[in-house]
Amino acid sequence: MPREKIDLPYSVDYLSILDADGSVDKTLEPALPEDLLLRMHRVMLLNRRFDERMLHLQRQGRIGTFALTTGHEATFVGSVAALRSSDWLVPSYREAAAILWRGGSLENFLLYFGGYDEAGWVPEDVKNLPISIPVGSQTQHAVGLGWAIRSRGSDEVVMVYFGDGATSQGDFHEAMNFAGVYQTPVVFICQNNQWAISVPRSRQSHSRTLAQKALAYDIPGIQVDGNDVLAVHAAAVEAVERARTGGGPTLIECVTYRLSLHTTADDPKRYRDDAEVAIWMKRDPLPRFQNYLLAKGILTESKLAETEEAIKTEIQEAVDRAETRMKEPVDPLHMFEHMYAERTPALEEQRDELSRELAAGKGDLSHG
Amino acid sequence: MAKMTMVQALNMALRQEMEKDDRVVVLGEDVGVNGGVFRVTEGLQQQFGDQRVLDTPLAESMIAGFSIGMALYGLRPICEMQFSGFSYYAIHQLEAHASRLRHRSQGRYSVPMVLRAPYGGGVRALEHHSESREALFAHIPGLKMVMPSGPRNARALLVAAIRDPDPVVFFEPKAVYRAFREEVPEEEEVLPLGRSQVVREGDDITLISYGAMMHPTLAAADELKEKDGVEAEVIDLLTVSPLDDSLFTQSVRKTGRAVLVHEAPRSFGPGAEVVARIVEKSFWSLEAPIRRVTGYDVIFPLFAREGDYLPGAARIARAAREALSA
């Protein structure tokens, strides 16, 4: 009865293709079509400019609190671009870029963060779940979707997003465990942006990588440079293919950085040094990818200026549409919609009650 | 018609719905090979296979969250919490997601799942195995909370819960599981959710209860008739949320007196909601203060004292006499 080493064939790869200095590992560089590369770039840029504009709007009191996404563009775009439109996207609350990639409307973002429930609507032909705010909880739905997909004999894949903080939640571990047991076609994308509000990655987990958490469940785990859109995409393509062909789930840890605030209610100066931010600014995924495309001649300075201009217009038009909508009177009774397939008697009574209140208080701007 | 226990009746509901609709999936801890610790899912895995009846890893939150994902894809998951005392892990998923996704997606998605759990005392069980915490679920907008009282209504309500387009929490009174048999028809029988029933008519006082407590309540009604010549009207809520107040408020307008019975703790319990509805809708007919016969606001005692904690026929009859003499 000896004591011996159990030989577990486990290790965690780290993948980087395009580094912060713009040098490319030619052996790993994927041969992606130009239109795909340009589309990735456009959505990354759109996301960045939209984030900046939303911050201004929030500071001016024109929309409410939202989670900023600047700095995460490569992680979100690189991964979501590996999906087909028939696949499922299960976001947390920071993946604007992934939602924009799948045709999400800027106007709906503005309305949602402007306080309109109506903007939670997901078009019938888009297989996105609504954003999920309780950290890590959405990982469980992804695995349920994945199980259902396999049970119906379909080859759809589910991609679920969460941050480094979510890896401390039990929900995440339960989801990984079920995904392993049932070999569900789920790609877990951990955007490790180093900070869960004020708690640094080092205080979130003693694990040297977050990717290695997959190994406990006998799921492949890989760590990638999350600011390198080519590396994220390559890892995601591999994981999506594995999931689609019956190979089960994968955990991809994308090492990135939250260059901006957690949400508009956050003040990072309370907990992190500017010097650290400055280091990560040099690793910014957007100029890195832009320079790569410029160097390859896929993008030109004039084309870039054109794209900037088109994005500016697109955002302005969305802001105009959203603000026009926000100036229209709100129907307070809308809150009673979609609670159940059929409104309950108590809801009917309460709806009537609010209706009477509104009639009695006509012109009273205090809303009760 | 066969005479069945509630366990057998629930099993029949599951089996028949699984036969009719291949989207119906049963999952939970020990529900497959073992047929559930109370045998409610007995034989289902043998009949439908392990792709329809899943023995899951032990994680109540995930069982609920997993079911939500299945339901979003269009399946009809029925998940079992082995005891309601362990269902609190699942409350987060029910509150944050199952109850909200229809509204949050503005009708694009719905979560047609059933979360079944045995609840309640009276079976000399361990700690965490006897509580009655339906108020926790009934307080969550977007959920439905159903609590049958006998084999026949359990079967007919479970069928309705499985077919319901919204998430339903289905609490099964384990004290009733094998306590008695009832005729349950083999052919389909569905009781709509959100409807209470008058199970005994009377003009003198209204007794309102649900779940396992229906039985001491009915026994109290018998005693009141035999010993006092009092005709009690007895109402079985069947669904705690959405609460059907039409019958009990109407009954109180006739009797002027009411006693509410549940084994859940008194404060903020379903009884408080029932009393509020009576006060709002039948106040001018009241002839006496409404009485609540309930569990106390204490940790459910270990079983040496559970008989003192749980409402019984004598306590209910005493409360009724007080209401009658006021």
Side-chain angles (χ1 to χ4, degrees), chain A residues 133-188:
Chain A
I133 292 179
V135 170
S137 58
Q138 71 281 4
T139 54
Q140 302 195 340
H141 314 153
V143 180
L145 277 170
W147 189 91
I149 287 166
R150 299 299 290 181
S151 82
R152 302 317 261 188
S154 172
D155 71 350
E156 295 148 88
V157 169
V158 187
M159 187 171 276
V160 58
Y161 290 89
F162 49 93
D164 42 311
T167 66
S168 301
Q169 289 273 26
D171 281 8
F172 161 75
H173 291 276
E174 293 178 19
M176 293 278 287
N177 186 43
F178 273 54
V181 168
Y182 295 115
Q183 289 294 291
T184 55
V186 178
V187 180
F188 292 85

Side-chain angles (χ1 to χ4, degrees), chain B residues 208-209 237 258-262 270-272 274-275 290-294:
Chain B
I208 306 155
S209 190
L237 294 178
V259 175
L260 180 286
V261 185
H262 59 57
V274 169
V275 172
I290 305 166
R291 300 299 307 245
R292 283 183 286 172
V293 182
T294 66

Side-chain angles (χ1 to χ4, degrees), chain A residues 50-58 63 66 109-110 113:
Chain A
F50 189 49
D51 211 43
E52 293 162 355
R53 186 64 195 275
M54 293 234 304
L55 182 57
H56 283 294
L57 292 170
Q58 192 278 336
I63 60 170
F66 72 97
F109 274 103
L110 293 163
F113 293 112

